[in-house]
Amino acid sequence: MKLIEAIIKPFKLDEVKDALNEIGIEGITVSEVKGFGRQKGHTELYRGAEYVVDFIPKIKMEIAVSDELVSKVVETIQNIAKTGRIGDGKIFIIPLEEAVRIRTGEKGSDAI
Amino acid sequence: MKLIEAIIKPFKLDEVKDALNEIGIEGITVSEVKGFGRQKGHTELYRGAEYVVDFIPKIKMEIAVSDELVSKVVETIQNIAKTGRIGDGKIFIIPLEEAVRIRTGEKGSDAI
Amino acid sequence: MKLIEAIIKPFKLDEVKDALNEIGIEGITVSEVKGFGRQKGHTELYRGAEYVVDFIPKIKMEIAVSDELVSKVVETIQNIAKTGRIGDGKIFIIPLEEAVRIRTGEKGSDAI
Amino acid sequence: MKLKLYLASIMLVVMAGLAPIAAMAEEKKDAAPTVSAAEATPAAATAAATPAPEAAAPAEAAPATPPDVKPVLNTGDTAWMLVSSALVLLMIPGLALFYGGMVRQKNVLSTMMHSFVAMGIVGVQWVVIGYSLSFAPDLNGMGLIGNFSKVMLNGLIVMKDAASGTVEWTLFQNYTKEPGAIPELVFAMYQAMFAMITVALISGAMAERVKFSAYCVFVLLWTTLVYDPLAHWVWMTEGWLFKKGALDFAGGTVVHLSSGISALVFLAFLGKRHGYPTERMAPHNLPLTLLGVGLLWFGWFGFNAGSAIVGVNTSDAAGGLAGLAFTTTMIAPAAAGLSWMIAEWIHSGKPSALGFGSGVVAGLVVITPAAGFVQPGAALIMGVAAGLVCYGGILIKAKLKYDDSLDAFGVHGIGGTFGAIMTGVFATVGATGLLAGNAKQLMTQLIAVVAAGAYAVVVTLIITFVLDKTIGLRVEKEDEIMGLDQTQHSESGYNM
Amino acid sequence: MKLKLYLASIMLVVMAGLAPIAAMAEEKKDAAPTVSAAEATPAAATAAATPAPEAAAPAEAAPATPPDVKPVLNTGDTAWMLVSSALVLLMIPGLALFYGGMVRQKNVLSTMMHSFVAMGIVGVQWVVIGYSLSFAPDLNGMGLIGNFSKVMLNGLIVMKDAASGTVEWTLFQNYTKEPGAIPELVFAMYQAMFAMITVALISGAMAERVKFSAYCVFVLLWTTLVYDPLAHWVWMTEGWLFKKGALDFAGGTVVHLSSGISALVFLAFLGKRHGYPTERMAPHNLPLTLLGVGLLWFGWFGFNAGSAIVGVNTSDAAGGLAGLAFTTTMIAPAAAGLSWMIAEWIHSGKPSALGFGSGVVAGLVVITPAAGFVQPGAALIMGVAAGLVCYGGILIKAKLKYDDSLDAFGVHGIGGTFGAIMTGVFATVGATGLLAGNAKQLMTQLIAVVAAGAYAVVVTLIITFVLDKTIGLRVEKEDEIMGLDQTQHSESGYNM
Amino acid sequence: MKLKLYLASIMLVVMAGLAPIAAMAEEKKDAAPTVSAAEATPAAATAAATPAPEAAAPAEAAPATPPDVKPVLNTGDTAWMLVSSALVLLMIPGLALFYGGMVRQKNVLSTMMHSFVAMGIVGVQWVVIGYSLSFAPDLNGMGLIGNFSKVMLNGLIVMKDAASGTVEWTLFQNYTKEPGAIPELVFAMYQAMFAMITVALISGAMAERVKFSAYCVFVLLWTTLVYDPLAHWVWMTEGWLFKKGALDFAGGTVVHLSSGISALVFLAFLGKRHGYPTERMAPHNLPLTLLGVGLLWFGWFGFNAGSAIVGVNTSDAAGGLAGLAFTTTMIAPAAAGLSWMIAEWIHSGKPSALGFGSGVVAGLVVITPAAGFVQPGAALIMGVAAGLVCYGGILIKAKLKYDDSLDAFGVHGIGGTFGAIMTGVFATVGATGLLAGNAKQLMTQLIAVVAAGAYAVVVTLIITFVLDKTIGLRVEKEDEIMGLDQTQHSESGYNM
Ligand SMILES: Nc1ncnc2c1ncn2[C@@H]1O[C@H](COP(=O)(O)OP(=O)(O)O)[C@@H](O)[C@H]1O
Ligand SMILES: Nc1ncnc2c1ncn2[C@@H]1O[C@H](COP(=O)(O)OP(=O)(O)O)[C@@H](O)[C@H]1O
Ligand SMILES: Nc1ncnc2c1ncn2[C@@H]1O[C@H](COP(=O)(O)OP(=O)(O)O)[C@@H](O)[C@H]1O
C-alpha cells in the first residue's frame, strides 16, 4: 500500500475528488495548508503599509491506496489538477506499512 | 520507528489522548482535517438553497513511536476511538527513518 | 528522496523558511497543528471557570528533498528552530518513493 | 440532585413568604396614603412639576374616568420614548451576541436564534394579547391581570376629544391629569420590547441542548402566563404590588428575577450538557460577546432612563428623573465591571475581559429596579456590590454542579433579587428605603420579591413539566454533540 | 436567456402602465381636493392637531410664498428627527454586515465596501446636488425634478424672519403654516441617509464579481439619475406622484422597488458568478449577518417612524403618527420572521436562522410604504404575507436561474412592490384603501409602482449598458476566483 | 532616537507658543466684547433665539448668582441630550472594535479591554471627582481647574426654587437666563462619555505590548491630571481658553489633540513591538474594524450635534445649531473617506476598505472642533483635506520609524490639531475665522493648540516616566510573543 499525498490548488478540490470517486477511490482525507514555492504571493495594503503574503493557500489530500491503484490515482490527480500554470502542486508517494479500519479492525487493503 | 497516523472522530480526541498518555506516549501532534468516505455529510439550508456538505470534520493524530510500541498504540486507538458506527476512521502505519529532537539534537527513539 | 516533517514553534517559521531558502530549498508546505508533549499548556479563565488548554499551537513543515540534501536541511532546521527551551519540536524523516510535479509531470528529484 | 433540593428550599421560602402577603393584602386601602405621604415630605426630592396634592392622583384615578385635563402631546417626551423603545429592542440582538459568543462554535446560531425568535413570537403575542393582559384595566379588580379590552392594541388609535373639534391620538393614560403626555401606542411598544427580552434572558440557561421547537412553545407560554401577569402586578396602577407600593423602577423583579429564577427551574428538567463539567467549553468568540456587552449597556439607557415614564413621581419622560436613572445606569455597571474584574484578579490571578463584561451586565441588572430611586453615591455602592455578588453567584454554580450554561440565574436571578432588595435599602428619591428610615419599604420589597419569585417558579414548573412530557425539552445526545446549528437549523455559523 | 425575456416582459407591462399614467396626469387638478376630502372625513382618524381646513394647506402653499405663521422650533420633533437620521445612517453598516456575512470569506470586505463607499459617494453627492434635485422647488413645474436653488445646501442656514428682530434657522418648509417645525438642515440630513442606503441595497445583486471602479461610478450615476428624481416625484409636495395622491410612507417605491428592480436589470448584464449554481457558496459568517439584521431593524424605526415628518396628516414628527409607524414597524417584521421561518420549516424541514433574519428584513421592506397608513391588525397580515411572498421570491431565483447573489431583487424588489400595492388595500389612517372602499387608491398605487419601476428600469438599463461598454462591469475570472478582497482592495478580511 | 528628537522639537515649539499666551492673557478683558460683537453682526447667522444683548450673558453671570429666570425643563432638548450621551457611550465599544479588529488575533481581547476598562475606571472617576474638576466653579479664579463642590455629583439633585413652591431639578447652569434647559445630571453624563473615550483613544498607540496594570493606572492619572483640566480650560465658561474665545465645538483640542499627542509621548517610553516593522502584522479581523467605523460614525452624531448644548450661541440643544453640526458630521467623513481612498488608490494602486474606514474616522476627527462653526461647503473642504492630511500622517510613521500601532497620533493627534486650526480659518457661523476676515481667531486657535498640546505633553511625560520606573510599561518579550490575551487576561479571543 501507498499513502499518496497531493498538494493542489484549492479551487480544484471538488473536481479532483469527483474524479477519484469515479475511479473507485472511496476515502480521502483533506487539509488546508500553506504553500511556499515558485509561485509568488500577493501584497496586501493596510494603512499605508504593504505586506507581502508569501504563502499561497493550498489543499493537501491524503489517499491510502493499494499498490495497483497508485498509478491510476496519480494520473487522475495530475490530469484534473493541472492548469499548466505555476503553483499547480506536487504529488508525493510514501510507503504505507499497514492500514486499519477502526470500526471493524480490518487490516490492509480491506481497510481502505 | 514508525509514524502512526490516525484519523478519528473529533469528540474522541480527549479520550484517545488520555489513553495514549497512560500507555506512556508523551508526544502527539494533532490537526483538523476534513474526511471524505463512506460516512455521508449533512445538508445545509441557506435562503431556500440546499447545499450538501460532503466532508466530515475529523481529527488527524500523528504519533512517532519506536517499533515495539506500535501494536500497543494501534490497539489503544482502536479500542477507544471505536463507536462501531460508520466513519470511525483509519490508522495508517508509515515507516520512519529518523527522528530528531530539536532542543537537544537527540536522535532515534530517544527523540520521541 | 525523503519527506522531512518538522514540528516547530510558530514564531520560528519565518526564520526557518528563510534559512531553508538560502540553502536552496524552494518548496515547503506548512500547516498549523496542535502539539501535546512535555511542554505544558496554559490555563484560561472564563466566568470563574478555569480550563487548562493542554495543547500548544505548533507549525508543521513538510519538505520533500533528494537524499543528499537531507542532512543539510535537518541541520538547518535544528539550528534555527532551537531555542533550548522545552517544546522546540521534532524532525521526522520519512522515505519518499516518488514525487510528481503536477504542472509538468516531471518526476523524482526534478519535481521538487 | 442538589439542584432539586435547592429548588425545594426556594419553594419553602416562597410559601413562608406568602403569609405576610396575604396579611398585607388586607391593608391595601392604607397603601395609597403611605405613598402620597412619602411624596409630600420635603426630604423626598421628587421630580413632579405638579404640586404635591395632584401627585397622589394616579393612584386614585380609575382608567375609565374621562380625563380632567385635555392631554397635550409632549413631543420631547414622545421623542425620548420612541428612542427608548428602539434602544430596548437593540438589546435583544445585543443579548444574542453576548450569549452567542459564549457558546461553542457549533451552537452559535441556535443560541442567537433563541433571542431573535423571541422578538418574533413575543412581538406578535404582545400585539394580539400580551399588552392587554398587562396594561388593560383590571380583569376582576384583584390586581392580578388585565382584561381583554386592548386585544390587538384596540382603542389605542381613536379620536379622543371629538367635542372640542380637534382630532387627537390617545395619550398615555396612567396619568390622566398630567398636561403633557405621549401616545399610548408608543408606551405599548416600549413595553413590548421588555416582554421580548425577558424571555430571551432565560435562554442563557438552556443553550447548547434545548430543542428548538420546545423553546418556541416555551416562549409563548411563559410570556403569556408568567410575564404578562407580573407586569400587571408591578407596573399597572391597578396591580396589587403597585398598589402596595413595591418599587421596581425598570424591572428588577418583573424582568430579571423572574427570568433568572425561571431559568433555574427549567434547568432542573433539562439537565447538564453532555461533557459538562469535565470537557472544555470555552467561549468561541469573545469579541462578539464584548460587542454584546456594549450594545446592552447602550440599550439599557433606554431600558432604565426610559422607565421614568412609569415612575409615580414624574410627569416628564425626558426630564430630571430620566437624568437620574441615566446617571445611575452609567455608574453601577462601571463600578460593577471593575469590582468583578478586581475580584477575579485577586481570586484567580488574572482580570479577564469576559469578567469585566459580565460585571458590567451584573451592574446593569442590579441597578435596574433602583435606577430612578437612588442617588449617585448609592448607585456606586450598589454597583460595587453587584460585581461581587454576581461573581459569587457564578461560583455557586461550580459548587452546586448545575449547568446554567450562560449564567442566566447567576447573573439575572441573583442580581435581580439583590437589586430589588437593595432598592428598599437605598431609595431616597421619590421614595424612602431602610437607610432613610423607612423599614417598611424593605419589607414591601421582600414581599414583592418572594411573590414574584414564587409565582414564576410555580408556573414555570408547570410549563416545563408539560413540555417535557409532550414535546420533550432536549435534543438527542448525538445531535447535541454534532451541534444545534446543524441539527436544529441545518446551517453552520461560519464557513471560513 | 430567461432573465432577458423576463425583463422584456417587465418592460411591456411598464409600457402598458404608462397609458393610464398619461391619462390620469390630466386630472391632476382633481387630485388635491380628493386628498383633502379624505382628510376631512371623520373616518380618517388623522393625526393633525390643526383643524381640518388648515390641513389642506400644504398642497396649496407654494414654497416661495412667505410663511403665514412664524415657524417656531419644536425641540421634541427636532430631537426625534436628529435621532432618526442617525438611525438610518446606522442601517448602512447594518446592511454591510447583513450582506458581508452572506458572501464567501474572500469577498467579505469588497461586499462591505459596497455599502460603505455608498456613504462616501452619496454623502458628497447629496450635499452638492442631490438634495436640490430632490427637494428644491420644481425645475419646470412638471413635478419631475427639483431646480438648482439648493445646491450645496444653499439657503438652509439663513435669517428667516429678520423683520421681527429674531434670528432664526430655516425650518422645514413643506408645512409653512404649522406652528412647530424642525430646521431644514435636519430634514436634508434625514433624506441624505435614505439616498445612501437605497443604492447600497442594489449591491446585493452584484456581490462577489463586480468591478469596484464600475460600482463607484454606478453609485454616482444611479443616485443622480434614478433616485433623486423618484424622491422628487413621490415625496416633494410638487412631485407629480405626490400630487396624484400616491401613498409611500417611507419608501416602498422610492427605495425598495426602485433598488430591487434596478438590481435585476444590472444582473442581465453582469451574469452569474463563476461556479453558480453548482458550487457551494454558503454564507461565511452568519453571526455577522444576524447582527446586521438587528441593526437594520433598530435603524428602521428611524426610517419609518421618522417619516411621520413627511406625512400629509401630521404636524408633529414625534407624535401619534410616529407612534403608529413605530408600532407597525415592530409588528410586521416579527410576523414576517415567523412566517418565513415556518414556511421554510414546512417546505425544507428545518427553520434556519438566516431564514428568520431574511423574513425580518422582508417584513420591514413590505411595511415601509404602509407604516403610517395602516392599523396594527393590517400590519400583522402584511407581515405574515411578507414572509411568504419574499420566501417565494427567492425560490423563483432558483427557477429562473439568474444569480441575484444576496437577493436584492427577491427581497427588496418583490417586497417593495408588494408593500406599495398592499398600502392601497389596507390604508385606513389618514388615507383610505381598497378595504375601506377606496378602489381609486389602489389604482393610484399601481400607477406609482409601474411608473417608478419603469423609470428605474429604463434609466438603469442605459447606465449599465454604458458602463459595460466602457469600464466593464465584471472582474476577470481569475480575480473572481481569487476573491475581490485581494484583487480589488489588496487586503484580506481575516488573518486568523 | 528620531522620536525623541521629534518630541524635543515639539517641546520647543510649545515653549515658543507660551510667550504669546502669556502676552494675550493680559488682554482677557477685551476678549468678551470681541465675542459679543461677533454675535451682534448680522453676518454671523447665529442660532440664538434670545435677543443679542442677552447672548453675552453667559460670560458675565457668575455661577453662584441666582438665576434671573426660573429655568423650565425643555423635554425636547433633554431627550436629545439623553440620546447624545448614549450615542457617545456607544462610541467606546465602537472604538474597541475598530482597534480590536486591527491587531493580531492574540491581542484582540486585550485591545478591546483597553477601551472597555476605560469605561469602568473613568466612569467611576468622573462621578467621584472628575466632573467637579472639570465643571465645578473655578478653584482659584485663574480658569485652570474646578473646585470640589460637585464631588460625587453633589448638588445636581436639589430643590432649586423652593420659594415658588415648585419642586425642581437643577438645570444646566451655564445659561441661567435661558428659558429652556436640561437637568444638569444629563449634562454631567454627556460629559462623562467624552472623558471615557478620550483616554481610550490613546490606547491605540500602546496596543499589543502594554502591561494591563500599568494601563489601568495610566487611565486614572491621565484623565485626572490631563483631561479634566483641559475640559475646564476650554468648555467651562470660567476656563481661561473659553474666556479667550478659543473655539472647540466638540473636542478637537480637548479630545483628539490631547489624546493623540499624549500617545506619542507614551510611545517614546514604550518602544516598538517585537518584530516591528519587519514582521507582517496584518489586521486579524477587518469586518470588526469596519463595524467599529460604523458605530463610531453613528455615535459621533451625538458627540458633535449633542455639543450644541455647550455652544455660546444657542439656547437649544435640539435646534438649528445641532442640525448644522449634524450636517457637517455627515459631510466631512464622507468626503474624507473618499479622499483617503483615492489617495491610496493613486499612491499604492488599490483602494483598501481599511483606508476608506480610516478616512471616515479622520474626517470625523477633523470636523469635531468645527462642527457647529462652519458651513457645509467648508465641511466638504475640511473633509477632503482630512483624508489627505491623515493619510500623510500615517506615512510619516513609516519614515520616522516609531511604532504607533493603530495610529492614535497619526489620526487623532494630527487630525485634531489640523481641525482646531482650520476652525480658525473657516468659521462663519456664530464666530468668524480667517476667511471671514478675523485673523485674530486663527491666532487664538494656535494658542489653544499649543497650550493644550504643551500641557498634555508635559504631564503625560511625567506620568509615563513615573509608571515606567515603578510598575513598568511593558510586558516581557516572551509574553508579548505569546500574546496579551493569554498572558494578561488568561483567555483567548476565539476558540473556533
Ligand atoms: N519540496 C517540496 N516539499 C514540500 N512541498 C513542496 C515542495 N515543493 C513545492 N511544494 C508545494 O507545492 C506547491 C506548489 O509549488 P510551486 O513551486 O509553487 O509550483 P509548481 O508546483 O508549479 O512547481 C507549493 O506551494 C508547496 O506547497
Ligand atoms: N483511503 C483513504 N485514504 C485516506 N483517508 C481515508 C481513506 N479512507 C477513509 N479515510 C478517512 O477515514 C474517514 C472515515 O472513513 P469512512 O469511510 O467514512 O468510515 P470508516 O472509517 O467507518 O470506514 C474518512 O472521513 C477519511 O478521512
Ligand atoms: N512522539 C511524537 N509524535 C508526534 N509528535 C510529537 C511526538 N513527541 C513530540 N511531538 C511534537 O513535538 C512537540 C514538542 O514536544 P515536547 O515534548 O513538548 O518538547 P521537546 O520537543 O522539547 O521534546 C509536541 O508539541 C508535539 O507536537
Side-chain angles (χ1 to χ4, degrees), chain E residues 438-493:
Chain E
N438 181 4
K440 186 146 188 223
Q441 185 64 55
L442 181 59
M443 177 48 83
T444 310
Q445 293 303 98
L446 285 171
I447 292 170
V449 162
V450 172
Y455 181 74
V457 164
V458 171
V459 180
T460 307
L461 261 177
I462 298 169
I463 296 174
T464 314
F465 179 81
V466 170
L467 285 181
D468 194 19
K469 294 299 164 221
T470 52
I471 310 181
L473 299 180
R474 200 168 167 150
V475 301
E476 300 298 315
K477 181 179 157 189
E478 189 110 344
D479 288 0
E480 190 183 330
I481 290 170
M482 289 248 285
L484 302 193
D485 290 4
Q486 219 178 85
T487 58
Q488 301 293 295
H489 306 286
S490 265
E491 52 192 340
S492 49

Side-chain angles (χ1 to χ4, degrees), chain D residues 44-96:
Chain D
T46 66
T50 51
E54 282 194 27
E60 295 161 19
T65 318
D68 291 355
V69 281
K70 198 175 76 62
V72 170
L73 180 75
N74 183 322
T75 57
D77 288 346
T78 303
W80 174 237
M81 292 317 296
L82 287 166
V83 174
S84 290
S85 306
L87 285 172
V88 180
L89 179 119
L90 186 64
M91 290 172 69
I92 305 168
L95 185 71

Side-chain angles (χ1 to χ4, degrees), chain A residues 7 33-40 56 58 85-90 92, chain C residues 3 25-30 62-65 101-103 111-112:
Chain A
I7 317 287
V33 297
K34 302 170 180 176
F36 298 84
R38 280 164 205 81
Q39 187 190 358
K40 289 303 154 222
I56 319 270
K58 299 277 174 197
R85 258 158 310 163
I86 208 163
D88 275 352
K90 310 266 136 117
F92 301 131
Chain C
L3 186 66
I25 300 297
E26 282 191 313
I28 307 174
T29 299
V30 163
E62 286 172 280
I63 314 142
V65 290
R101 185 191 308 274
I102 293 174
R103 173 166 47 97
I112 54 182

Side-chain angles (χ1 to χ4, degrees), chain D residues 46-48 74 76-77 105 280 282-287 290 298 316 318 324 326-327 331 350-354 356 377, chain F residues 73 75 78-79 82 85-86 97 113 116 119-120 127 152 157 167 169 189 196 291 487-491 493-496:
Chain D
T46 66
N74 183 322
D77 288 346
Q105 182 181 348
R280 175 170 179 261
H284 88 286
N285 195 336
L286 282 177
L290 288 179
F298 176 61
D316 287 307
L324 177 63
F326 195 105
T327 302
I331 296 172
K350 288 277 158 66
S352 74
L354 179 59
F356 183 83
Chain F
L73 180 73
T75 58
T78 303
L82 287 166
S85 306
L97 293 172
M113 265 299 262
F116 274 87
M119 298 167 90
V127 169
M152 282 308 296
I157 313 182
V167 175
W169 297 88
M189 284 305 103
M196 286 176 185
L291 169 57
T487 57
Q488 301 293 295
H489 305 286
S490 265
E491 53 192 340
Y494 308 90
N495 289 291
M496 312 240 269

Side-chain angles (χ1 to χ4, degrees), chain C residues 6-41:
Chain C
I7 317 286
I8 61 167
K9 291 188 169 166
F11 77 98
K12 283 291 188 185
L13 172 59
D14 278 347
E15 281 175 66
V16 172
K17 182 176 52 82
D18 292 347
L20 289 175
N21 274 178
E22 262 166 44
I23 62 166
I25 300 297
E26 282 191 313
I28 307 174
T29 299
V30 163
S31 47
E32 289 168 9
V33 296
K34 303 169 178 179
F36 298 84
R38 281 164 203 80
Q39 186 190 358
K40 290 302 155 220

Side-chain angles (χ1 to χ4, degrees), chain F residues 1-275:
Chain F
M1 277 98 42
K2 276 187 187 165
L3 182 56
K4 294 211 169 160
L5 264 172
Y6 190 61
L7 278 173
S9 52
I10 284 178
M11 293 290 296
L12 261 174
V13 171
V14 152
M15 295 306 158
L18 289 174
I21 292 172
M24 285 188 70
E26 300 308 304
E27 33 165 354
K28 80 186 143 189
K29 286 269 159 55
D30 311 338
T34 305
V35 171
S36 66
E39 278 157 11
T41 61
T46 68
T50 52
E54 281 193 28
E60 295 161 18
T65 319
D68 290 355
V69 281
K70 198 175 78 58
V72 171
L73 180 73
N74 182 322
T75 58
D77 288 346
T78 303
W80 174 237
M81 292 316 297
L82 287 166
V83 174
S84 290
S85 306
L87 285 173
V88 180
L89 179 119
L90 185 65
M91 290 172 69
I92 306 168
L95 185 71
L97 293 172
F98 180 65
Y99 278 172
M102 266 196 280
V103 298
R104 286 164 295 172
Q105 183 181 349
K106 62 186 177 184
N107 297 317
V108 58
L109 294 180
S110 71
T111 302
M112 294 185 76
M113 265 299 262
H114 290 161
S115 295
F116 274 87
V117 86
M119 298 167 90
I121 296 173
V122 181
V124 171
Q125 184 269 1
W126 189 253
V127 169
V128 174
I129 180 83
Y131 180 66
S132 198
L133 292 180
S134 303
F135 290 99
D138 217 73
L139 183 62
N140 52 12
M142 290 170 57
L144 296 176
I145 196 138
N147 65 22
F148 297 93
S149 62
K150 298 193 173 178
V151 158
M152 282 308 296
L153 304 184
N154 184 32
L156 274 65
I157 313 182
V158 289
M159 273 170 293
K160 193 62 186 180
D161 202 347
S164 77
T166 24
V167 175
E168 244 157 48
W169 297 88
T170 306
L171 302 186
F172 178 40
Q173 320 199 43
N174 268 5
Y175 308 102
T176 42
K177 302 196 183 208
E178 290 298 334
I182 66 167
E184 189 176 349
L185 269 181
V186 176
F187 178 74
M189 284 305 103
Y190 182 61
Q191 291 296 339
M193 309 312 180
F194 277 67
M196 286 176 185
I197 197 169
T198 303
V199 73
L201 290 172
I202 306 179
S203 74
M206 311 168 172
E208 309 203 288
R209 58 203 185 286
V210 77
K211 204 183 270 185
F212 184 66
S213 55
Y215 175 75
C216 289
V217 178
F218 178 83
V219 166
L220 184 61
L221 294 179
W222 193 88
T223 299
T224 310
L225 302 177
V226 179
Y227 182 83
D228 293 346
L230 284 182
H232 190 80
W233 294 6
V234 176
W235 284 329
M236 186 61 189
T237 40
E238 298 172 310
W240 73 273
L241 281 171
F242 183 93
K243 286 202 219 144
K244 192 165 285 305
L247 303 175
D248 189 4
F249 195 77
T253 43
V254 179
V255 174
H256 296 290
L257 184 156
S258 74
S259 61
I261 198 106
S262 298
L264 197 62
V265 171
F266 199 96
L267 279 183
F269 289 85
L270 187 63
K272 299 173 199 175
R273 283 169 293 176
H274 179 79

